[in-house]
Amino acid sequence: MLTPEETAQLAAANVTREYPNFTAHLTASPDDTPRPSDLHPAFYGAYDWHSSVHMHWLLVRTLPALDDPAPYTDVLDRHLTRAHLATEAQYLLGRPSFERPYGWAWLVALAAQCHGTQWAQAFAPAVEAVDRLLTDWLPKATYPVRHGAHANSAFALGLILDTGERAGLPARTLDAVRERLRGWFVDDHDAPAHWEPSGQDFLSPSLTEADAMRRVLNTREFAAWLDRFLPALATGGPCPLLDVPLVSDHSDPQIGHLLGLALSRAAALRAIANALPQGVVRERLAKAAQEHLDAGLPAVESGDFTTDHWLATFAELAREHYERT
């Protein structure tokens, strides 16, 4: 695990690095060729928009552990202004499918992390934009996206439930998120865990769903739901979700996603275990969580921008759930 100073250095280096940049911007004319920092004055760095948002989250989260946070608060002061975040909000509102729902969720998580800081008030237009986007999208989202990459529905809505109240999302929106998760997933059973992982997953479709459902069901309901959803956990049968993924090439941008899968699984497995009563299933999940964490942590700072621009965030998510144990 990186030290707090190393984490802050990594996050700050990423959010201030404009190039290389994977700009997911629809070009409307030959004259429409702005720089990333013109489009996204707050979140131009870290290769892509969502990574910039969650690396800002990581930086803000790390500040209290630093002996000298001043160099990093200076970066945040430059980026997280009301004017910059209003520009980001207008960009989102003008392109309702941009970063839906992964980037939305991380923006809410960042706003929540900034609660009580000098940057908190600047987030009002951005949180309002996400609220409007969620309010419009949720009634139309008849089916969830279940694959293990950015568009995954369960991961994003789970993160919104964890952070939305503190960020300032209205209760009615959070209730709508809970209702949508129940509508999508409450009747699911016999998850095809043997299909996982896919070749470029950084999320587990099955575990993100289970992790979302532990947020909307009580302990008894969730334990019963999990028995139906992943029956092999209780029977002691093989469950590929508990096996650490093999990563053949850490530097490949897509294969390297599997490093993130190890860490996101560690977080989900630990969170699910913590939501269960004492017993064999909880012990089995906790053991697998530790194995995934041990496998994923050494890759967090490789010196390769392919993974360094995002992976430390998922290490922090895993650490957060271990702190709650």
Side-chain angles (χ1 to χ4, degrees), residues 244-317:
V244 175
L246 301 175
V247 188
S248 61
D249 185 354
H250 288 202
S251 65
D252 184 284
Q254 301 301 329
I255 295 173
H257 272 182
L258 295 167
L259 296 167
L261 178 64
L263 292 169
S264 69
R265 277 188 180 181
L269 288 163
R270 171 55 63 179
I272 294 165
N274 290 348
L276 294 172
Q278 294 293 334
V280 173
V281 174
R282 179 173 174 140
E283 292 172 2
R284 195 176 181 195
L285 292 173
K287 178 176 181 293
Q290 187 63 56
E291 291 169 351
H292 279 77
L293 186 65
D294 292 343
L297 281 180
V300 166
E301 188 181 25
S302 65
D304 184 342
F305 186 58
T306 301
T307 50
D308 283 0
H309 78 274
W310 67 282
L311 198 58
T313 307
F314 284 85
E316 179 62 18
L317 285 180

Side-chain angles (χ1 to χ4, degrees), residues 185-231:
F185 300 133
V186 76
D187 292 328
D188 281 2
H189 56 88
D190 299 307
H194 58 287
W195 290 358
E196 296 189 38
S198 186
Q200 56 191 45
D201 284 352
F202 67 91
L203 301 168
S204 162
S206 298
L207 290 177
T208 53
E209 178 176 338
D211 197 20
M213 292 306 287
R214 60 99 184 160
R215 293 167 165 106
V216 300
L217 301 174
N218 64 39
T219 300
R220 181 185 58 79
E221 292 170 336
F222 177 63
W225 180 91
L226 190 64
D227 282 345
R228 298 191 300 272
F229 186 64
L230 293 171

Side-chain angles (χ1 to χ4, degrees), residues 18-304:
E18 187 165 5
Y19 299 102
N21 197 295
F22 186 76
T23 308
H25 174 72
L26 178 63
T27 302
S29 74
D31 299 324
D32 185 15
T33 56
R35 290 179 51 170
S37 54
D38 295 331
L39 295 171
H40 301 296
F43 306 123
Y44 61 83
Y47 185 68
D48 48 35
W49 193 87
H50 53 259
S51 297
S52 183
V53 174
H54 62 65
M55 291 300 271
H56 277 84
W57 172 87
L58 181 63
L59 184 55
V60 174
R61 189 175 175 83
T62 305
L63 288 179
L66 300 176
D67 292 331
D68 180 17
Y72 307 108
T73 57
D74 182 59
V75 171
L76 295 167
D77 285 342
R78 295 199 308 270
H79 287 196
L80 303 182
T81 69
R82 190 175 184 90
H84 286 174
L85 289 163
T87 298
E88 300 286 2
Q90 286 304 118
Y91 192 94
L92 292 174
L93 291 171
R95 298 159 183 83
S97 62
F98 177 73
E99 293 284 355
R100 182 179 74 195
Y102 182 81
W104 299 357
W106 276 113
L107 187 57
V108 171
L110 174 57
Q113 196 64 49
C114 289
H115 181 81
T117 71
Q118 63 263 47
W119 309 291
Q121 294 303 314
F123 276 89
V127 173
E128 182 179 339
V130 174
D131 180 42
R132 288 172 58 184
L133 291 164
L134 282 168
T135 299
D136 182 63
W137 173 63
L138 286 172
K140 300 185 292 187
T142 307
Y143 308 107
V145 176
R146 297 178 183 268
H147 64 61
H150 304 90
N152 182 281
S153 303
F155 175 84
L157 294 195
L159 186 57
I160 286 170
L161 287 184
D162 284 349
T163 61
E165 181 178 1
R166 188 171 176 83
L169 282 178
R172 56 166 172 74
T173 302
L174 297 177
D175 287 342
V177 168
R178 294 184 186 94
E179 187 58 31
R180 179 51 70 197
L181 286 171
R182 292 189 191 98
W184 282 337
F185 300 133
V186 76
D187 292 328
D188 281 2
H189 56 88
D190 299 307
H194 58 287
W195 290 358
E196 296 189 38
S198 186
Q200 56 191 45
D201 284 352
F202 67 91
L203 301 168
S204 162
S206 298
L207 290 177
T208 53
E209 178 176 338
D211 197 20
M213 292 306 287
R214 60 99 184 160
R215 293 167 165 106
V216 300
L217 301 174
N218 64 39
T219 300
R220 181 185 58 79
E221 292 170 336
F222 177 63
W225 180 91
L226 190 64
D227 282 345
R228 298 191 300 272
F229 186 64
L230 293 171
L233 293 178
T235 65
C239 183
L241 303 177
L242 307 185
D243 300 330
V244 175
L246 301 175
V247 188
S248 61
D249 185 354
H250 288 202
S251 65
D252 184 284
Q254 301 301 329
I255 295 173
H257 272 182
L258 295 167
L259 296 167
L261 178 64
L263 292 169
S264 69
R265 277 188 180 181
L269 288 163
R270 171 55 63 179
I272 294 165
N274 290 348
L276 294 172
Q278 294 293 334
V280 173
V281 174
R282 179 173 174 140
E283 292 172 2
R284 195 176 181 195
L285 292 173
K287 178 176 181 293
Q290 187 63 56
E291 291 169 351
H292 279 77
L293 186 65
D294 292 343
L297 281 180
V300 166
E301 188 181 25
S302 65
D304 184 342

